[in-house]
């Protein structure tokens, strides 16, 4: 039973054009029969009906259906009730025009949880047969005539065995013949159900309904049981009752019979010609042919008013073909599979221009991938990208230039060794394999590390050094070299080919590469005996090629030009000792013979190295006329080097541990790895900002496009949405419906877009190493990009749906009527 109690509803409440459309109305509706809301157009019938059916909200008062107060429920609950209990028939049918007749009816069954196809088919076809339209079940609803469509709508309303059927001017858009047929069907289905019928046609109301509630200006002004005699005086325009025609003239001659009927005396000039098999008729005016396809029918009888036998012959079994004891319960019609399949159908049905617009999404996806891979490339810095020294070094300033601090640090258990200064040096890789390349060489910026800390596990090729002149260099150095392709012309293009090659350091004997390590840093592992020689002779990384000479002390200036000799090799340096001996200890020096008269052996020259003057131990003769080199012992250079360093490098196998110890000691220091990383990131900050801005703009464009596209798709389907909502589809299913579409659009555009850019970037990386590191091109980044695009698209695409879903079904339908 439905009870309406003091219901009020306004449109445009509080505004100048406020309408009090339902005015304190109360009413009780029975459980069976047709209850007719009768009243002039605009009196509020539809509004009241929508309130009862849960399509719209009221401002005050209560409506209860079998004791359940629907005016208090959330829209979700109302949807559930409407879905299970109410069948809706609308004036303008509200069918899904691009689906088949069968689908239009079947969806109502699926929504109440009937999934079994055999049951669905049997039940739908039973209902279609009952309304006389089964033969059209595979046609698109949009292709049917008005009368046929209303039959589909009735089948949809009754298929789920609802206890209440709401029919809002169901014949309002139909001609009179269809009106009667539809009303007869409605009358048939009302035998065991409540049908609430809205009409403004009094004769229809009085012929068909069991109860009439007359409305005026939002109020029920009269309510009564209708037991007036059941006659319907409803002349059908499409029937010509021949016996009621005023004039009838017949002409009969041999085989020719002609009957002429007219409403009054009229002149009839008709010429009929039969030539061959063709019949020609000339009426002198308009001619209407009545054949099977005509909607006009001539009946050779008098018009009689219709009586109850019209609808009493038929009946409708509400439970036919339905599972017994079935209880209707709302069930979502969208699972992922049919979300996708119906989304795919929609996208496939896009007009050409809209399909073309999908290309925009492909481009957006391409650039989104470019942007994401760029941002990730800039953010994701790998040790090999930024490390300038071995990652285990900590740099400690030695401002006091005393050995105490150095000794203190060196004494720490966590410290493997300490080297003065930074460990960065330039060593030279000669590439003089061929005559044509005799002068070819490449400088490698290396970080000097002692072999003692190298473990065999860190080796990726070759072997551990066995001799002081054997070294191990890191893969990071080789990779960078190979990327530049500088070794191609001597065929140096694989890591293994580096094994056995020479490395040169000024003034020192060559070193030989015997192993390759992988420490993710530009390390060169050298013997302890060689480390200081290399550090003090190797060219500095930062100020390229300026050879640091001992003579660059403030008071030596021109005296010592450049180039010093360690372990003086007389043959190599093309000098001969003329007097005295070669330097054998630190601070010993030999001078060119032309200084013999200036400084005696045993005296010092006015050249200071690390604060001490050099002792002359001999003189040499040189092939080069102007050789003014002060040849000293290697340890002198070492002392000079150490004396000049402002800090020293401590190697700790466990950097974190050393860090915490130094912190506790209160010493200042820098972890090389952290420092290098910061420097590197700072240098790329601008790039990161621009990458993020570009990515943001691309995403925004994509977002706007998706929003516009889905908004227009949504607006073009607002009628469908309104219909689905009206027949009980819940909001979440509307979201799913559009989510399916967005998923399909995203899949078919983002995947090709990302794939194209993926391919392009991998190609570019092989062509120019410049972009490597700036872009990360991996399946993970592709997946991240896809996820970002998907989230963006879902957001943009569902915004218009979201704003519409806040409206009641009646409000959505009202929009589509405009
Ligand atoms: P009926 O069904 O009796 O023709 P309605 O219930 O459709 O009447 O409408 C009652 C009155 O409310 C009419 O004056 C109509 O113009 C007005 N009305 C209906 N829907 C709206 C709406 N969504 N916004 C504002 N006014 C409306």
């Amino acid at each position: 039973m439905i009870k309406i109690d003091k219901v009020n509803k306004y449109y445009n409440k509080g505004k100048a054009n406020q309408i009090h459309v339902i005015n304190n109305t109360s009413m009780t509706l029975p459980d069976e029969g047709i209850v007719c809301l009768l009243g002039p157009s605009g009196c509020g019938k539809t509004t009241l009906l929508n309130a009862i059916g849960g399509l719209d909200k009221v401002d005050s008062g209560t409506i209860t259906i079998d004791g359940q107060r629907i005016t208090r429920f959330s829209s979700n609950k109302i949807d559930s009730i409407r879905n299970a209990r109410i069948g809706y028939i609308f004036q303008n049918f509200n069918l899904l025009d691009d689906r088949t007749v069968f689908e239009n009816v079947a969806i109502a069954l699926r929504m109440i949880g009937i999934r079994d196809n055999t049951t669905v088919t049997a039940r739908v076809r039973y209902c279609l047969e009952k309304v006389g339209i089964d033969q059209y079940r595979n046609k698109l609803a949009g292709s049917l005539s008005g009368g046929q469509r209303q039959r589909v709508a009735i089948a949809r309303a009754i298929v789920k065995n609802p206890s209440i059927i709401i029919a809002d001017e169901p014949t309002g858009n139909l001609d009179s013949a269809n009106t009667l047929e539809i009303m007869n069907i409605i009358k048939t289905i009302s035998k065991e159900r409540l049908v609430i019928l809205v009409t403004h046609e009094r004769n229809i109301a009085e012929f068909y309904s069991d109860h009439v509630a007359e409305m005026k200006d939002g109020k029920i002004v009269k309510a009564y049981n209708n037991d007036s005699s059941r006659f319907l005086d409803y002349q059908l325009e499409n029937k010509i009752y021949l016996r009621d025609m005023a004039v009838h003239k017949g002409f009969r001659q041999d085989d020719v019979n002609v009957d002429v009927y007219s409403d009054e005396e009229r002149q009839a000039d008709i010429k009929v010609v039969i030539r061959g098999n063709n019949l020609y008729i000339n009426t002198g005016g308009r001619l209407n042919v009545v054949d099977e396809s005509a909607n006009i029918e001539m009946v050779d009888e008098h018009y009689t008013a219709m009586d109850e036998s019209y609808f009493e012959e038929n009946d409708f079994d509400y439970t036919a073909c339905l599972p017994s004891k079935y209880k209707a319960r709302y069930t979502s019609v969208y699972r992922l599979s049919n979300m996708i399949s119906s989304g795919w159908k929609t996208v496939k049905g896009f007009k050409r221009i809209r399909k073309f617009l999908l290309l925009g999404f492909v481009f957006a996806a391409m650039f989104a991938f470019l942007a994401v891979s760029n941002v990730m490339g800039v953010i994701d810095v790998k040790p090999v990208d930024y490390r300038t020294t071995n990652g285990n070094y900590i740099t400690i300033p030695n401002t006091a230039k005393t050995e105490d601090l150095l000794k203190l640090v060196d004494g720490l258990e966590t410290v493997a060794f300490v080297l003065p200064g930074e460990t960065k040096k330039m060593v030279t890789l000669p590439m003089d394999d061929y005559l044509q390349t005799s002068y070819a060489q490449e400088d490698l910026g290396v970080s000097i590390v002692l072999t003692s800390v190298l473990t065999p596990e860190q080796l990726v090729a070759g072997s551990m050094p066995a001799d002081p002149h054997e070294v191990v260099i890191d893969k990071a150095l080789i990779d960078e070299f190979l990327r530049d392709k500088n070794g191609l012309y001597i065929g140096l293009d694989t890591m293994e080919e580096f094994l056995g090659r020479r490395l040169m350091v000024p003034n020192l004997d060559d070193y030989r590469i015997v192993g390759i390590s992988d420490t993710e840093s530009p390390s060169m592992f050298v013997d302890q005996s060689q480390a200081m020689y290399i550090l003090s002779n190797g060219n500095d990384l930062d100020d390229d090629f300026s050879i640091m000479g001992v003579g660059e002390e403030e008071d030596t200036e021109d005296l010592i030009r450049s180039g010093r000799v360690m372990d003086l090799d007389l043959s190599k340096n093309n000098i001969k000792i003329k007097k005295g001996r070669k330097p054998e200890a630190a601070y010993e020096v030999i001078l060119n013979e032309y200084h013999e008269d200036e400084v005696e052996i045993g005296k010092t020259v006015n050249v200071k190295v690390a604060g001490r003057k050099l002792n002359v131990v001999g003189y040499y003769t040189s092939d080069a006329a102007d050789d003014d080199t002060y040849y000293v012992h290697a340890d002198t250079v070492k002392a000079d080097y150490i004396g000049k360093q402002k800090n020293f490098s401590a190697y700790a196998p466990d950097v974190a541990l050393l860090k915490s110890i130094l912190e506790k000691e209160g010493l200042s220091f820098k972890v090389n790895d952290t420092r290098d990383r910061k420097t590197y990131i700072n240098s790329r900050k601008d790039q990161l900002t621009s990458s993020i801005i570009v990515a943001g703009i691309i995403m925004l464009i994509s977002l706007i496009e998706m929003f516009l596209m889905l908004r227009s798709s949504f607006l073009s389907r607002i009628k469908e949405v309104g219909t689905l909502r009206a027949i009980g589809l819940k909001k979440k299913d509307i979201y799913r419906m559009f989510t399916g579409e967005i998923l399909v659009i995203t899949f078919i555009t983002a995947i090709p877009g990302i794939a194209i850019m993926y391919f392009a970037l991998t190609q570019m990386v092989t062509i120019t190493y410049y972009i490597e590191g700036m872009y990360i091109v991996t399946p993970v980044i592709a997946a991240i990009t896809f996820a970002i695009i998907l989230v963006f698209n879902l957001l943009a695409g569902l915004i218009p749906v979201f704003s519409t879903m806040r409206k009641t079904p009646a409000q959505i339908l009202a929009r589509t009527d405009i």
Side-chain angles (χ1 to χ4, degrees):
M1 199 164 65
I2 299 180
K3 258 188 144 159
I4 299 165
D5 193 23
K6 297 199 189 87
V7 167
N8 282 288
K9 176 159 178 82
Y10 302 82
Y11 284 123
N12 311 318
K13 198 172 183 185
K15 295 187 191 147
N17 57 350
Q18 170 176 310
I19 305 174
H20 194 172
V21 63
I22 300 176
N23 190 345
N24 215 28
T25 292
S26 300
M27 181 181 179
T28 303
L29 300 168
D31 286 340
E32 273 180 24
I34 295 187
V35 174
C36 184
L37 292 179
L38 178 67
S41 195
C43 71
K45 305 182 295 292
T46 298
T47 307
L48 183 60
L49 202 63
N50 284 344
I52 298 170
L55 295 193
D56 214 349
K57 291 195 169 120
V58 296
D59 292 299
S60 68
T62 57
I63 298 173
T64 54
I65 297 181
D66 290 340
Q68 287 187 302
R69 220 170 106 179
I70 62 161
T71 35
R72 215 184 44 195
F73 290 146
S74 67
S75 70
N76 190 38
K77 185 80 191 284
I78 294 172
D79 287 343
S80 295
I81 295 173
R82 185 167 76 242
N83 210 284
R85 310 206 45 180
I86 301 176
Y88 238 100
I89 304 168
F90 303 90
Q91 177 173 356
N92 54 3
F93 326 122
N94 281 334
L95 297 182
L96 305 169
D97 289 343
D98 53 359
R99 298 197 206 176
T100 62
V101 166
F102 183 90
E103 268 309 307
N104 265 279
V105 181
I107 190 174
L109 272 191
R110 299 210 176 96
M111 274 160 55
I112 57 163
I114 299 180
R115 281 280 156 78
D116 173 48
N117 275 336
T118 327
T119 312
V120 170
T121 308
R123 174 67 176 173
V124 170
R125 291 199 59 184
Y126 173 78
C127 294
L128 289 175
E129 264 163 35
K130 279 288 164 184
V131 298
I133 204 159
D134 186 47
Q135 68 270 34
Y136 299 125
R137 65 184 176 280
N138 293 323
K139 285 201 163 193
L140 290 184
S143 68
L144 302 183
S145 72
Q148 292 166 336
R149 296 167 99 185
Q150 198 57 299
R151 283 175 166 80
V152 179
I154 292 174
R156 179 179 65 189
I158 59 182
V159 73
K160 60 188 180 181
N161 187 12
S163 53
I164 301 158
I165 290 157
I166 287 180
D168 185 4
E169 300 254 16
T171 60
N173 283 347
L174 301 180
D175 59 22
S176 49
N178 274 312
T179 295
L180 290 189
E181 283 170 23
I182 293 296
M183 280 313 302
N184 286 340
I185 296 171
I186 290 176
K187 185 69 187 176
T188 307
I189 63 175
S190 75
K191 280 177 194 167
E192 294 168 36
R193 306 285 127 149
L194 170 65
V195 174
I196 311 172
L197 174 76
V198 157
T199 186
H200 61 272
E201 292 186 82
R202 184 169 287 277
N203 55 358
I204 292 276
E206 288 183 344
F207 180 59
Y208 287 104
S209 55
D210 302 299
H211 315 275
V212 178
E214 289 191 23
M215 277 188 81
K216 205 181 161 199
D217 297 335
K219 280 190 168 150
I220 292 175
V221 288
K222 195 169 151 196
Y224 51 95
N225 286 340
N226 179 29
D227 20 68
S228 62
S229 55
R230 293 292 166 92
F231 277 110
L232 179 61
D233 185 15
Y234 209 75
Q235 291 260 4
L236 297 178
E237 304 120 25
N238 66 335
K239 283 194 176 169
I240 302 174
Y241 296 92
L242 296 179
R243 296 192 182 199
D244 291 337
M245 298 301 284
V247 182
H248 175 209
K249 285 173 187 160
F251 304 92
R252 286 162 233 292
Q253 193 181 338
D254 302 333
D255 296 348
V256 180
N257 288 334
V258 178
D259 286 290
V260 178
Y261 299 87
S262 56
D263 39 12
E264 56 190 70
E265 282 293 345
R266 286 182 197 270
Q267 176 83 17
D269 291 319
I270 303 164
K271 290 184 189 71
V272 177
V273 177
I274 301 175
R275 197 172 66 181
N277 282 330
N278 292 323
L279 178 72
Y280 302 91
I281 301 172
N282 184 345
T283 61
R286 249 181 77 199
L287 173 69
N288 294 306
V289 177
V290 179
D291 58 11
E292 310 87 65
S293 64
N295 55 5
I296 291 282
E297 199 186 339
M298 296 180 186
V299 281
D300 190 14
E301 48 190 60
H302 288 287
Y303 167 77
T304 49
M306 198 159 63
D307 64 21
E308 290 166 29
S309 66
Y310 258 79
F311 47 78
E312 285 193 339
E313 287 158 13
N314 282 313
D315 62 359
F316 179 79
D317 178 2
Y318 271 99
T319 57
C321 311
L322 277 181
S324 59
K325 290 193 206 147
Y326 186 76
K327 203 166 172 318
R329 232 188 60 234
Y330 185 84
T331 313
S332 173
V333 292
Y334 286 107
R335 281 158 299 168
L336 188 65
S337 59
N338 53 351
M339 250 161 80
I340 303 272
S341 66
S342 79
W344 171 244
K345 254 198 215 152
T346 313
V347 174
K348 231 171 76 183
F350 275 179
K351 295 214 178 68
R352 198 175 291 175
I353 175 84
R354 191 174 276 180
K355 279 188 182 148
F356 183 73
L357 284 180
L358 287 178
L359 272 183
F361 288 99
V362 177
F363 284 120
M366 282 170 63
F367 288 102
F369 181 66
L370 186 74
V372 172
S373 109
N374 188 203
V375 170
M376 296 309 257
V378 178
I379 288 176
D380 175 78
V381 295
K382 290 189 280 304
V384 285
D385 295 332
Y386 65 78
R387 278 191 187 156
T388 61
T389 68
N390 185 288
N392 289 74
Y393 277 124
I394 282 186
T395 302
I396 301 167
N398 188 21
T399 32
K401 293 203 176 176
T402 66
E403 295 211 343
D404 302 353
L405 183 61
L406 196 142
K407 276 187 184 141
L408 172 86
V409 174
D410 204 6
L412 292 172
E413 211 177 302
T414 48
V415 173
F417 61 84
V418 177
L419 291 176
E422 286 283 342
T423 59
K424 295 186 277 186
K425 284 290 153 183
M426 201 93 94
V427 298
T428 304
L429 176 78
M431 300 197 286
D432 51 359
D433 303 35
Y434 305 97
L435 181 65
Q436 292 88 337
T437 65
S438 352
Y439 296 104
Q441 61 179 49
E442 184 80 12
D443 288 319
L444 304 179
V446 302
S447 168
I448 303 296
V449 188
L450 301 188
T451 321
S452 54
V453 295
L454 180 68
T455 63
E457 294 80 58
Q458 287 173 319
L459 274 193
V460 289
S463 55
M464 298 287 279
D467 153 323
H469 274 84
E470 290 181 348
V471 296
V472 167
I473 65 168
D474 201 87
K475 193 172 161 290
L477 289 161
I478 296 180
D479 285 344
E480 197 186 333
F481 177 87
L482 291 178
R483 251 194 325 248
D484 284 344
K485 303 195 191 301
N486 285 342
L488 274 187
Y489 55 96
I490 57 158
L492 185 54
D493 56 1
T494 64
M495 187 168 80
E496 285 69 22
E497 281 161 31
F498 278 79
L499 295 173
R501 291 199 76 88
R502 291 177 297 134
L503 285 177
M504 304 190 309
V505 180
N507 307 319
L508 301 181
D509 285 341
D510 290 350
Y511 294 91
R512 212 163 62 84
I513 303 170
V514 294
I516 295 161
S517 66
D518 186 5
T519 60
E520 297 184 308
S521 62
S523 304
M524 180 165 95
F525 294 88
V526 304
D527 189 80
Q528 186 163 15
S529 65
Q530 302 301 309
M532 278 311 302
Y533 292 160
I534 297 173
L535 282 175
S536 50
N537 281 282
N539 294 325
D540 269 335
L541 213 54
D542 299 328
D543 37 79
D544 313 31
F545 307 111
S546 88
I547 298 173
M548 182 206 69
V550 182
E552 287 167 16
E553 283 271 343
E554 58 291 327
D555 55 348
T556 53
E557 284 164 19
D558 301 330
L559 269 179
I560 298 183
R561 279 206 321 271
S562 66
R564 291 128 293 130
V565 178
M566 327 261 75
D567 300 331
L568 183 64
D569 182 335
L570 296 175
S571 63
K572 233 191 210 170
N573 293 286
N574 287 324
I575 56 169
K576 281 192 195 91
I577 300 289
K578 190 186 169 204
K579 203 171 169 187
R581 57 171 172 85
K582 69 174 193 173
E584 277 159 3
Y587 303 103
E588 290 184 350
V589 65
I590 53 173
L591 308 175
N592 193 301
E593 56 182 332
Y594 58 69
H595 291 296
E596 205 179 326
D597 298 337
E598 301 163 19
V599 201
E600 285 170 44
I601 289 180
K603 294 264 151 82
T604 58
V605 281
N606 197 21
V607 172
K608 274 187 184 165
V609 171
R612 274 180 60 181
K613 289 186 176 172
L614 298 177
N615 296 320
V616 179
V617 294
Y619 307 101
Y620 63 84
T621 55
S622 173
D623 293 354
D626 57 350
D627 187 355
D628 197 16
T629 308
Y630 280 35
Y631 288 104
V632 292
H633 186 267
D635 284 352
T636 317
V637 183
K638 207 161 117 181
D640 171 62
Y641 177 75
I642 294 171
K644 282 183 179 167
Q645 301 310 311
K646 295 188 183 65
N647 45 41
F648 55 91
S649 302
Y651 184 101
D654 185 344
V655 174
L657 180 62
L658 177 58
K659 192 179 154 203
S660 68
I661 291 172
L662 292 177
E663 269 163 4
K664 246 185 253 156
E665 296 280 334
L667 295 173
S668 69
F669 64 92
K670 281 217 163 79
V671 177
N672 286 20
D673 187 73
T674 317
R675 177 198 65 188
D676 289 354
R677 193 165 191 278
K678 261 189 209 149
T679 314
Y680 181 79
I681 287 176
N682 271 342
S683 74
R684 299 184 74 160
K685 220 172 225 161
D686 289 347
Q687 202 186 347
L688 179 66
T689 316
S690 66
S691 296
I692 287 176
I693 290 173
V694 169
I697 291 173
I698 287 164
M699 288 298 185
L700 194 71
I701 292 171
S702 166
L703 191 77
I704 292 171
E705 192 192 351
M706 187 50 114
F707 174 78
L708 293 178
M709 186 129 169
L710 279 153
R711 202 175 91 101
S712 90
S713 167
F714 181 76
L715 290 181
S716 71
R717 286 158 64 197
I718 191 113
K719 179 168 178 287
E720 184 186 350
V721 171
T723 301
L724 289 169
R725 287 285 293 130
I727 64 170
L729 202 73
K730 288 195 178 182
K731 291 176 185 177
K732 68 171 185 219
D733 269 357
I734 304 286
Y735 284 122
R736 285 185 191 187
M737 171 173 146
F738 284 95
T739 302
E741 193 176 323
I742 297 168
L743 286 179
V744 169
I745 292 181
T746 308
F747 269 95
I748 64 171
T749 59
I751 289 179
I754 291 172
I756 293 168
M757 195 45 89
Y758 195 109
F759 177 74
L761 279 177
T762 45
Q763 291 308 102
M764 274 157 69
V765 168
T766 56
I767 295 166
T768 156
Y769 107 87
Y770 167 69
I771 69 158
E772 188 170 304
M774 276 170 57
Y775 295 93
I776 297 186
V777 187
T778 64
V780 174
I781 300 297
I784 291 174
T785 310
F786 183 79
I788 293 174
I789 295 174
L790 185 61
V791 170
F792 267 54
N793 286 356
L794 282 173
L795 278 180
L798 291 178
I799 286 171
V801 185
F802 179 74
S803 64
T804 300
M805 280 309 107
R806 292 200 323 226
K807 299 197 165 80
T808 64
Q811 286 168 330
I812 303 174
L813 283 176
R815 248 180 102 183
T816 67
D817 284 343
I818 299 164

